[in-house]
Amino acid sequence: MKIAAGADHAGFRIKAAVVRHLRARGHEIIDFGTDSETQSVDYPSYAHLVAAAVAGGAVERGVLVCGTGIGMCITANRHGGVRAADCVTPYLAEMSRRHNDANVLCLGGRILSEDEALAITEVWMATPFEGDRHVRRIALIDEPEADADGE
Ligand code: RB5
């Protein structure tokens, strides 16, 4: 799968580990940086690059890492068609795929160990979207006045 990755200084270390991990599993990664944990940078710049690549179809998915994952997630979700999820446990990663068809994974470099981040990434990559009623719910994200009856 073609995947875009990006991080700020607080997410650089975990982003590097995730990129290595995904490449070792045969994925094609476009790494938008940053490439240092000592040079302070602004997380929205990297979130916009990765989200635009996902929204424009250049890649199927994205991974973004900042200190908490929160700023990356807020920024990425400004892009139409992007469903970014800040996942702090494998369960959240699983549900973000099954129910939300998340196409951008956000991680917190200051709250997750490398092992935790890789475990979350593994689950997120391996879990399919369930479809069914969740297709309608995802459509309602962009069209809130549509009929919202459902299970
Ligand atoms: C940088 O200090 C920090 O604010 C950033 O990495 C991120 O956590 C923002 O949401």
Side-chain angles (χ1 to χ4, degrees):
M1 191 182 290
K2 206 165 173 182
I3 303 166
D8 69 357
H9 53 288
F12 164 72
R13 198 176 40 81
I14 291 292
K15 188 258 293 172
V18 170
V19 166
R20 271 196 308 274
H21 181 82
L22 291 173
R23 282 188 174 139
R25 276 161 172 63
H27 297 290
E28 184 184 344
I29 311 297
I30 300 176
D31 187 348
F32 284 104
T34 190
D35 301 315
S36 158
E37 66 182 337
T38 53
Q39 177 72 49
S40 182
V41 295
D42 300 324
Y43 64 82
S45 310
Y46 299 89
H48 284 308
L49 288 170
V50 168
V54 173
V59 297
E60 287 174 67
R61 297 210 199 160
V63 178
L64 285 165
V65 194
C66 60
T68 58
I70 295 171
M72 290 296 198
C73 197
I74 291 170
T75 309
N77 278 318
R78 295 291 179 99
H79 291 248
V82 167
R83 292 175 300 282
D86 190 6
C87 298
V88 296
T89 65
Y91 178 73
L92 289 180
E94 180 189 339
M95 296 311 292
S96 80
R97 290 288 312 134
R98 282 177 55 188
H99 286 193
N100 311 111
D101 197 17
N103 51 14
V104 173
L105 171 65
C106 300
L107 297 168
R110 288 178 175 153
I111 58 171
L112 298 170
S113 69
E114 188 174 315
D115 284 350
E116 288 169 333
L118 294 182
I120 289 167
T121 303
E122 272 287 289
V123 170
W124 192 75
M125 289 300 300
T127 305
F129 177 47
E130 270 181 23
D132 192 37
R133 64 194 184 280
H134 301 295
V135 173
R136 181 183 68 248
R137 289 171 182 166
I138 284 172
L140 286 166
I141 294 171
D142 293 320
E143 296 177 46
E145 59 286 333
D147 181 7
D149 285 350
E151 298 160 45

